[in-house]
Structure formats: C-alpha cells, structure tokens
Amino acid sequence: MAGETERSIEELYRDDPERADAVAFGRKTGVDRRGFLGGAGLAAMGAAVGGAIPFAANMPGGLIPAAMAQPAAAPKGPQYLKFPGKDDKLVLLGERPLVAETPEHLLDDATTPTEKFFVRNNGTIPEAAKEPDAWKMIVDGEVNTPLALTLGELKTRFKPVTRRMVLECGGNGRSFFTPTARGNQWTNGGAGCAEWTGVRMSDLLKAAGVKPSATFTGHYGSDRSLADNTKDAISRGVPIKKAMDGNNLIVFAMNGQPLSNIHGGPVRLVIAGWPGSVSSKWFTRLWVRDKYHDGPGMGATSYRVAIKPMVPGDKPADGNFRDLESMPVRSIITSPANGAKMPAGTKEVALRGAAWAGDNTVRRVDVSIDFGATWQRATLEKPKNKYDWQRWTATATLPADGYYEIWTRATDSKGAMQPHQAGFWNPQGYGGNPMHRIAVLVA
Ligand SMILES: Nc1nc2c(c(=O)[nH]1)N[C@H]1C(S)=C(S)[C@@H](COP(=O)(O)O)O[C@H]1N2
Ligand SMILES: [Mo]
C-alpha cells in the first residue's frame, strides 16, 4: 500500500502536478484547499521525498517539492556534454547548435574554471584559428577613422586589463516559466564568472572617434547560420552609451589562458551585465550605426521582454516589447547540491552560493529552510570589481532529521528582489529569476 502511494504521488507530480497537489493537500477544488499537509497527504508526501518533513505545516499548497521538480527539458533525465576540455557533468541542452549549462553546484568556485563554463552557440563552431595574432577585426560606420587591425596589433596598441565578470545568457532561468517558453530550457546554469583579459571596447571606439550621429552598435562574429552558411549566426548590438562603458572588454584571454575556440577565441566581446548574446564570439566587426541595429537576434520577440504584462501563453502583440538590457537579480546555492543526503543527526549545514544583478550590485541575500516562513540573512562578499558576482555563505541549523528545502533570494541595489515564481511571462522566456531552491535529506 505504502509503496503504491509513494509511486503514485511521484508520478502524479511529474505528469499532473495539479492533481498531485490536490491529493497531497486534500484539495477538492481550486478554491477549497486546506493549504497545509496533513493525514494521508503528509504520509504520501513524506514517503515520496524520502523522509519526514519537519516544516510540512509551512509548505504552500501547489508547491511541487524540489525533490520532484523536473526541468522541462529533460524528460529522460539529463544528457551530458562531451567536449574536449569540458567537465563531463555539464548538462547538454542542444547539439545543433551546441548548448550546455553548468548545474548550480558546479558554480561553487569563486572564479568559474573554463572547463565548467557554460557554452552557448547559435550557429556553426568555426575552426580554431591557426595564427591567433593574425586574426582581423574592424571598427566602422559612424566613426571619424575606421580601424582595421589584427589581434597582435590590438594587444600592442591598447592597454590590457583583467576583470572578473559574469557572463550570462539572456535566457537563463527560462525553464522556470509556465507555460513553457520557446528556446533552450536553462535552469540557472547559463551563467559563469571568469577572469577576462582584454582591452576596453571604449578605448577602441575613442581611437576610431565616434561621430555625434552614432546611436547603436552592431557586433559580428565569423560563425555562420546553421540553416544558411552565407548568413551570420547572430548579430546583436547595444545603445552607444552602453558601448562606451569602460567595463566592456575585447577579450583574448580567459582565466589566464588564451581564449579557447569554443568560447569565441581568439577574440570575443564581453559586454558587462547584459544578455550574453551581445558578447560576440569570434569577433570580426564592430559597426557603429546611426539607428537601432537590425542583425539576426534583434527585434520582434528576440531577447525582448513585454512592456505591458501579457497573459502567459498569449500571442505577442506588436509594439509591446523592449530589448532586455541589464540582467535581473539572481542568487544560487552552489553547496550543497540539490538532492544532497546527509547522515542522521546532522544539525548544521554550511551553505554557499553566488548572487549577481546585471548592471546593479546585490544588496542582500536571504536563505530559508522552512518554505519561506522565516528568512536568515547570509554573509555577502563584495564584488572584486564592478560586474563580478558576489559570493555568500550561511549556516542552516536543522531542528530534526528529515526532508528540507533550502531557498535563497537576493535583493539588488535598487531594491528588486527575486520572486517566488518566474514573472512577466514573454514568448521566448527572458528574465526568469525565481528564488533558487534545493532539496536536502537528513536521514
Ligand atoms: N559569434 C557568436 N557570438 C555569440 C554567440 C554565437 O552564437 N555566436 N552566442 C551568444 C550567446 S547567446 C551567449 S549566452 C554567449 C555564450 O558565450 P559562451 O559560449 O562563451 O559561454 O555568447 C554570445 N556570443
Ligand atoms: Mo545567450
């Protein structure tokens, strides 16, 4: 009997979360709910998650326990990336183009090692350059003096700087949207924080002399569209004001090593705090424009969020979209890993994580072990430099053995806090930044 109940509620959560919720919480209709676990529901839920739930009374109706929540992308369980130089625990999200994310617990280093850094391609992966220093790039358009230079010349003409900065895919968090939004189903792992060495993009723009007519940039790389190899895989840009921000780099080294081909080597852009898609890999051209850029990946609903909130799942209305600019505030738990099992009698759990907030900094991080009933402030480090992520630590004190969820939420320097659920649904699922939660079993 018990075995049957256990299987059925897990299956129900996978296949029909609403029905599972009704079974667990004894809810008969959408409005008639007890809102807490008791009796048979509590027993079934406890059996399904593998232990007693000390804070069951706080568990909100409708919550799919973290132990059972499955990313929409992986009905058959996660597939892993196999790629030279990459950790074999990166989760493969797509093969053509090649896309892989870093599970949160692999982001436990202060600086993300290159082998753990996520990979996002939109088109082909060009062949590795045989003579990196001979790589050519141009700056043209609304400038007084167009520039054409090799990577070797770039390195000698401009002063190199090294900064630790987050690079994050615009779609990071997409899998948390309901209904499912179109695109790679990232959890929180479309992000990493590396030491980037390069020259300031603003130094190059100043050397070229930006004309008053300049309003926007267009960034180009050498990769090709998978559907048509005469076309660019992607070409996005930013307003000229953002382009002139001295934090943006033209990068040729990552974590102290020459930039690898898979990350856009020998040279790429890193545009600080904005969707990764503006940070062109295999960088060939910076086009200064007198109007909004119109390359592939601009306009319509690409990298764009709704201006007026839209009904989730609705057809996009013309004119209701703006470019996603600064990435939203996000925190992750990097230790322990989701699903961690700890010996019976464990009373204290050391928690570690990271938080970042696009153009902003993180003001505070809070953690909860009781389904959000109470929150504890984490110790938060300062960024090494602007656009670095901030590492945090906390200690969870457990009252008894059993099943716990650890939740984390960050608040940015402007007061924006991560929501419980991904909000502001949009067709391609940008800006999904709900609180991160993991399951921990002490038994
Ligand atoms: N030329 C080129 N640049 C690109 C891309 C691409 O497909 N082609 N993908 C972009 C996207 S969407 C992201 S999130 C980042 C990913 O960088 P990474 O693969 O080094 O992690 O690169 C950006 N730059
Ligand atoms: Mo991206």
Side-chain angles (χ1 to χ4, degrees):
M1 239 342 246
E4 239 173 76
T5 314
E6 176 181 339
R7 208 168 33 250
S8 74
I9 198 155
E10 275 192 278
E11 271 168 17
L12 269 180
Y13 264 109
R14 205 169 303 132
D15 305 335
D16 187 352
E18 270 183 47
R19 168 96 190 100
D21 185 45
V23 170
F25 288 87
R27 191 175 65 181
K28 289 184 198 73
T29 71
V31 285
D32 171 24
R33 63 160 69 186
R34 291 196 311 208
F36 62 90
L37 279 169
L42 182 58
M45 185 76 90
V49 298
I53 309 174
F55 291 112
N58 302 333
M59 218 170 155
L63 181 86
I64 300 177
M68 293 177 221
Q70 294 221 338
K76 294 182 239 107
Q79 307 294 305
Y80 297 102
L81 174 72
K82 288 188 193 69
F83 196 87
K86 284 292 176 185
D87 191 291
D88 60 10
K89 287 287 179 285
L90 296 191
V91 175
L92 187 70
L93 299 183
E95 274 172 310
R96 242 181 90 83
L98 191 68
V99 181
E101 76 165 329
T102 317
E104 292 92 346
H105 69 275
L106 291 187
L107 292 171
D108 198 34
D109 305 272
T111 304
T112 310
T114 305
E115 59 268 25
K116 294 180 185 170
F117 208 92
F118 81 99
V119 173
R120 166 58 161 138
N121 298 298
N122 287 267
T124 62
I125 301 171
E127 255 176 58
K130 295 207 174 57
E131 280 181 78
D133 280 347
W135 184 271
K136 289 192 180 113
M137 58 202 111
I138 61 171
V139 182
D140 66 346
E142 305 300 309
V143 293
N144 297 318
T145 319
L147 304 178
L149 68 180
T150 64
L151 177 55
E153 288 162 352
L154 182 92
K155 287 176 181 167
T156 50
R157 230 179 115 180
F158 300 94
K159 187 174 140 250
V161 291
T162 297
R163 301 170 66 78
R164 197 168 78 184
M165 295 192 285
V166 172
L167 179 71
E168 181 174 22
C169 184
N172 203 21
R174 180 178 291 133
S175 67
F176 305 122
F177 281 102
T178 312
T180 302
R182 188 154 36 94
N184 293 296
Q185 296 298 308
W186 304 99
T187 62
N188 287 302
C193 190
E195 297 264 5
W196 306 104
T197 301
V199 305
R200 293 181 203 277
M201 191 164 93
S202 57
D203 285 352
L204 226 74
L205 285 167
K206 283 177 203 156
V210 172
K211 290 184 180 169
S213 52
T215 60
F216 221 89
T217 57
H219 310 161
Y220 289 86
S222 68
D223 54 334
R224 306 285 83 202
S225 155
L226 288 168
D228 178 350
N229 70 6
T230 65
K231 294 204 169 108
D232 295 299
I234 188 168
S235 173
R236 305 199 63 242
V238 297
I240 196 70
K241 181 164 181 278
K242 175 67 181 176
M244 294 303 288
D245 177 339
N247 291 287
N248 305 324
L249 299 182
I250 302 179
V251 163
F252 46 79
M254 177 180 186
N255 294 332
Q257 297 295 318
L259 185 65
S260 62
N261 188 55
I262 193 65
H263 290 297
V267 60
R268 76 172 302 163
L269 303 181
V270 171
I271 305 292
W274 284 33
S277 51
V278 291
S279 294
S280 270
K281 309 205 280 190
W282 308 291
F283 171 64
T284 55
R285 181 186 183 199
L286 178 57
W287 184 15
V288 180
R289 307 205 57 179
D290 61 2
K291 56 174 189 258
Y292 179 75
H293 186 48
D294 53 1
M298 299 296 288
T301 58
S302 293
Y303 301 98
R304 301 186 107 196
V305 290
I307 297 166
K308 275 189 284 172
M310 58 184 291
V311 175
D314 244 12
K315 286 223 162 58
D318 276 351
N320 188 33
F321 293 89
R322 62 167 181 87
D323 285 358
L324 172 62
E325 298 192 328
S326 171
M327 291 298 291
V329 61
R330 187 184 307 275
S331 60
I332 55 171
I333 301 162
T334 62
S335 183
N338 185 25
K341 293 197 170 62
M342 293 172 192
T346 300
K347 286 280 171 263
E348 287 199 339
V349 181
L351 309 177
R352 287 194 297 275
W356 62 95
D359 284 339
N360 304 307
T361 54
V362 176
R363 180 191 292 173
R364 65 184 286 168
V365 169
D366 301 292
V367 295
S368 176
I369 60 163
D370 56 9
F371 300 104
T374 62
W375 293 87
Q376 172 193 336
R377 194 168 183 157
T379 304
L380 181 65
E381 283 177 22
K382 288 200 164 54
K384 252 176 106 167
N385 51 251
K386 203 170 177 220
Y387 293 104
D388 185 18
W389 64 14
Q390 292 167 251
R391 305 299 306 188
W392 62 261
T393 54
T395 305
T397 305
L398 310 179
D401 291 357
Y403 172 85
Y404 291 89
E405 291 197 6
I406 299 168
W407 293 6
T408 175
R409 66 173 192 206
T411 306
D412 74 16
S413 46
K414 291 202 169 139
M417 185 192 282
Q418 287 179 266
H420 281 272
Q421 305 276 350
F424 298 104
W425 191 94
N426 54 90
Q428 290 183 247
Y430 301 108
N433 68 334
M435 300 172 187
H436 182 211
R437 56 192 188 106
I438 61 163
V440 169
L441 187 65
V442 180

